[in-house]
Amino acid sequence: MARRLTFMGAINEALKTAMKEDDKIILFGEDIAGGRDTKHLANKQSAWGGVMGVTKGLLEEFGTERVIDTPISELGYLGAAVGAAATGLHPVPEIMFNDFLGFCLDALLTQGSKMRYMFGGKASIPMTMRTMHGAGASAAGQHSGSYYGLLGAIPGIKVVVPSTPYNAKGLLLSALKEPNIVVFSEDKTLYSLKGDVPEEAYTIEIGKAQIVTEGTDLTIVSIGKMLYVAQAVQEELAKFGISVEVIDLLTVAPWDQETVIESVKKTGRLIVIDEANPHNNTATDIASVVGKTAFDYLDAPIQTVCAPNTPVPFATNLEQLYLPSKERVLAEADSVIFDLKRG
């Protein structure tokens, strides 16, 4: 049975479901079990559940041995998480904002992602790192970047970017069954978004994109909340008889080449919407692969719509200009659909 849950609630429910099934799953993070309230061990109701409250209530259910407050040291507790995973536990460290990745990159880049390879397949690192990305919350440049593509460039790490409460729960339950590292990147501006989510446990395949709307004239690939920009563009172009196929990528690494390429072979045109900065991001990788493997099917140049090559502005008006928008995507659509021009 499905009921309406927020994006945040769906993530919380996935964690709770998995922790009930598997006592090896433990949570690490700053403020997830009390934060500044020094009485939280005696009064568990005071648990913060992280900076956004996503894990609220899990301390009460699973206790301080499985929901663990950490010092303000991302390198320290992510390193501890990699070590715990190597011993057979399944840690879920929470890095508040993905902008803080610089503090803990060594644990991911130099250690965790390479262990299975360097030990000839004899080691596994079952770890799911939760983090937040995304502009639009007036959180300024140090708390608003979108760096999922940066992590997706590291061999040995899978990177998931959910877009709805439904796929947030299903993808997280899949990540919590993975034998190696998965980065689960949540757009903080989606936390209050509501959608239908089944009560029962279910999984969504990591590495498989979803065709949200089928079409024949143009393929739009979206990442995370850019799905809603793509859908707005699809609805606008439908008024002019232009059929848009919208693909929600869901997994940034490894991204679903088969689904994207087959769609481009059908439509002949591709726009990729990626909130990340424009250089060396997922959008450019998709454009490169499609340009190489489906060149003969293209009727127009591939276009990417990304954030500019700047930090995220704090001012609300500038932040809105920073984000890829319906208007920017429509302008690119007009440039590639030269034989199906809007009036």
Side-chain angles (χ1 to χ4, degrees):
M1 175 185 289
R3 68 266 108 100
R4 304 284 287 179
L5 273 186
T6 63
F7 190 88
M8 181 189 301
I11 294 168
N12 184 288
E13 185 167 273
L15 290 169
K16 182 184 294 186
T17 298
M19 291 176 77
K20 285 180 178 178
E21 293 179 354
D22 184 356
D23 61 8
K24 293 181 179 178
I25 295 175
I26 57 175
L27 310 186
F28 289 162
E30 297 159 355
D31 302 340
I32 66 170
R36 298 174 189 166
D37 188 342
T38 57
K39 298 179 181 178
H40 73 279
L41 293 177
N43 177 18
K44 294 180 182 179
Q45 293 299 323
S46 66
W48 282 17
V51 67
M52 297 293 185
V54 178
T55 59
K56 196 169 184 63
L58 298 182
L59 171 68
E60 291 84 344
E61 183 142 0
F62 299 105
T64 55
E65 291 189 357
R66 296 185 65 193
V67 182
I68 303 166
D69 256 348
T70 66
I72 305 176
S73 174
E74 286 80 6
L75 174 60
Y77 69 83
L78 202 65
V82 170
T87 71
L89 294 172
H90 192 128
V92 184
E94 177 185 312
I95 303 299
M96 283 187 181
F97 301 96
N98 73 176
D99 308 75
F100 301 166
L101 287 169
F103 294 112
C104 55
L105 196 55
D106 180 68
L108 290 169
L109 175 63
T110 312
Q111 304 301 331
S113 64
K114 293 181 169 66
M115 284 184 173
R116 183 173 186 176
Y117 175 82
M118 295 183 74
F119 287 102
K122 295 180 180 179
S124 63
I125 308 297
M127 184 179 87
T128 303
M129 189 188 89
R130 292 183 47 247
T131 190
M132 290 187 291
H133 70 270
S138 296
Q142 293 175 324
H143 303 82
S144 304
S146 295
Y147 303 117
Y148 39 77
L150 183 154
L151 291 169
I154 302 174
I157 295 180
K158 296 181 179 181
V159 181
V160 173
V161 184
S163 57
T164 69
Y166 178 85
N167 59 48
K169 179 178 176 179
L171 287 166
L172 185 52
L173 285 171
S174 291
L176 293 167
K177 295 180 184 297
E178 281 277 335
N180 291 290
I181 297 175
V182 178
V183 173
F184 193 82
S185 193
E186 305 155 15
D187 193 308
K188 58 184 172 293
T189 66
L190 294 180
Y191 278 144
S192 62
L193 177 73
K194 288 188 176 181
D196 291 337
V197 179
E199 292 183 27
E200 64 271 15
Y202 60 93
T203 58
I204 294 175
E205 183 181 354
I206 292 174
K208 184 69 175 174
Q210 178 188 8
I211 298 176
V212 179
T213 305
E214 294 188 354
T216 56
D217 298 324
L218 168 66
T219 298
I220 298 180
V221 175
S222 64
I223 300 172
K225 74 166 176 279
M226 295 298 105
L227 168 65
Y228 303 102
V229 176
Q231 289 179 315
V233 171
Q234 181 267 323
E235 292 171 2
E236 179 68 21
L237 292 180
K239 299 175 184 176
F240 300 90
I242 298 171
S243 175
V244 178
E245 183 144 296
V246 175
I247 297 177
D248 187 356
L249 200 62
L250 296 178
T251 305
V252 167
W255 62 271
D256 185 353
Q257 296 187 15
E258 180 180 0
T259 295
V260 173
I261 291 168
E262 288 304 309
S263 177
V264 172
K265 286 181 178 180
K266 178 173 60 173
T267 67
R269 301 171 180 86
L270 172 64
I271 297 174
V272 186
I273 317 175
D274 183 356
E275 188 182 331
N277 302 113
H279 297 166
N280 307 305
N281 65 9
T282 305
T284 58
D285 185 41
I286 293 171
S288 173
V289 171
V290 173
K292 178 180 179 180
T293 58
F295 181 81
D296 290 341
Y297 295 90
L298 289 169
D299 296 322
I302 298 167
Q303 302 295 336
T304 60
V305 180
C306 306
N309 193 37
T310 69
V312 181
F314 175 68
T316 302
N317 59 334
L318 295 178
E319 188 176 33
Q320 290 307 308
L321 289 172
Y322 174 94
L323 285 164
S325 65
K326 170 185 169 183
E327 290 70 27
R328 285 179 58 197
V329 179
L330 284 171
E332 297 297 344
D334 278 345
S335 75
V336 300
I337 309 179
F338 46 83
D339 55 342
L340 293 169
K341 275 282 189 179
R342 293 189 293 148

